[in-house]
Amino acid sequence: MYATSSWSWPWPWLLLHIFLFVPTTPSSHIPPIVPTCRDKCGNLTIKYPFGSDFGCGHPDFARYIKCASGELQFSSGTGAYTVSSIDYTTSTLVITDLFMSTCSSMQNSGSFSLDRASPFTLSSQDIFILLGCSRTSPVFDPNEDLCDTGSGLHLCRGLYSCEGVSGIGLEPNGPISSCCVYQPIMDFGSGYGLDLPKLQCSSYASMYGFGGDETDPMKWEFGISLGYNESYYTETCKDCEASGGFCGFAGFTRSFSCICRGGGNSTTNCYGRGYAWSGTLGHKIVTMISFGGNRHFY
């Protein structure tokens, strides 16, 4: 060990000494930014496989579900929709299209699509009703069976009795010939598209329930019910949550990561971890140098 109070140090030797004993950390070993996960978004509780922010929840759901400005949103190719409720016991959620028609308010709507690659499926309870369709609309093609012309007609009568129908240029209790309870010939699973311009219809309504009264459209439950696969909830995630952590993902491979409330993450759980990053940093030898006195440590 070498100590001196003079300034006549061999500077090249000193720089070499610092260089050898304070190795730089490769950029590949820099700890990743650990997301801050939340269990609430607005008034909705967020549980796996959903997440409040990127890196939280399961990666297959991250591009579709996010918390923005205190509102949980679902995104698809046709826009962003508000998640109004989640039932974790039945693995379903309900989304609301602000431009979708209801009994109290009808307006020209946009289209709706569900990506084929998404982990969501339409619920069997969903009923899509097309409103203000032209006479030449393909939904009325006699060679196709796209409209429920039987029991579904009472849904058209119910909606066309609403005062809100004036919002799409129709008179209440008018003819229902421009209405179609849409039942396309396709599997009601992932990969669903409702293209209103192509179908030549002004608006659509979607229902997932009658609110206990099929005769009163003001009580009908409007929205789109989506199901998801609960098999994403693994024992590894359960162990993470039991330790107080949030299940998430990290890295380019989007591998499982247990995100701890106190900061940091782990590949397993948060037991005993105030901070636990699962990378390899190596050890750093710190050289402390004081030029103003007789203290020098190497």
Side-chain angles (χ1 to χ4, degrees):
M1 182 174 293
Y2 179 76
T4 180
S5 60
S6 68
W7 290 90
S8 58
W9 273 40
W11 287 99
W13 179 89
L14 174 61
L15 294 176
L16 177 62
H17 187 83
I18 295 174
F19 177 78
L20 291 175
F21 284 86
V22 187
T24 58
T25 302
S27 59
S28 61
H29 288 165
I30 296 176
I33 298 175
V34 179
T36 300
C37 299
R38 295 164 285 169
D39 54 12
K40 295 281 287 187
C41 180
N43 62 349
L44 292 181
T45 298
I46 303 177
K47 297 181 181 181
Y48 198 76
F50 308 126
S52 61
D53 301 273
F54 189 80
C56 308
H58 193 280
D60 287 356
F61 291 83
R63 62 173 293 194
Y64 299 100
I65 298 290
K66 68 176 181 179
C67 184
S69 302
E71 180 180 270
L72 198 63
Q73 294 182 344
F74 169 84
S75 297
S76 75
T78 48
Y81 305 87
T82 301
V83 178
S84 57
S85 65
I86 304 177
D87 188 338
Y88 291 100
T89 60
T90 60
S91 299
T92 57
L93 57 85
V94 175
I95 62 174
T96 303
D97 182 352
L98 296 179
F99 297 102
M100 181 180 69
S101 288
T102 65
C103 185
S104 58
S105 175
M106 297 191 191
Q107 57 194 322
N108 291 336
S109 306
S111 299
F112 172 76
S113 69
L114 185 63
D115 301 343
R116 185 171 296 278
S118 80
F120 297 95
T121 58
L122 289 177
S123 168
S124 59
Q125 297 175 321
D126 288 319
I127 303 174
F128 288 89
I129 306 169
L130 306 182
L131 309 170
C133 301
S134 70
R135 294 179 179 179
T136 59
S137 170
V139 299
F140 299 131
D141 187 336
N143 296 319
E144 302 288 348
D145 187 18
L146 299 177
C147 298
D148 182 356
T149 57
S151 59
L153 291 180
H154 80 281
L155 300 177
C156 288
R157 294 191 188 97
L159 284 177
Y160 274 38
S161 70
C162 299
E163 293 293 332
V165 78
S166 60
I168 55 174
L170 300 175
E171 292 293 330
N173 297 305
I176 62 172
S177 56
S178 63
C179 177
C180 169
V181 179
Y182 193 48
Q183 49 179 19
I185 305 173
M186 63 181 300
D187 179 22
F188 261 42
S190 60
Y192 178 82
L194 190 66
D195 190 338
L196 290 189
K198 183 178 179 180
L199 298 175
Q200 301 175 30
C201 299
S202 300
S203 185
Y204 82 93
S206 177
M207 301 166 44
Y208 62 93
F210 291 99
D213 190 349
E214 290 192 30
T215 65
D216 186 356
M218 286 297 294
K219 295 181 180 179
W220 294 353
E221 297 168 318
F222 293 95
I224 302 173
S225 178
L226 301 177
Y228 62 92
N229 194 330
E230 62 181 9
S231 66
Y232 288 91
Y233 194 40
T234 62
E235 291 299 323
T236 303
C237 179
K238 293 178 182 178
D239 184 45
C240 168
E241 291 181 340
S243 69
F246 294 94
C247 302
F249 58 94
F252 292 108
T253 60
R254 297 190 171 189
S255 57
F256 177 82
S257 177
C258 185
I259 301 165
C260 306
R261 296 176 185 269
N265 63 356
S266 165
T267 57
T268 53
N269 55 57
C270 296
Y271 288 119
R273 298 172 185 266
Y275 176 87
W277 178 60
S278 58
T280 302
L281 290 176
H283 297 285
K284 183 181 291 186
I285 302 176
V286 179
T287 303
M288 300 178 61
I289 303 174
S290 174
F291 288 104
N294 295 328
R295 296 168 298 167
H296 306 287
F297 305 94
Y298 306 100

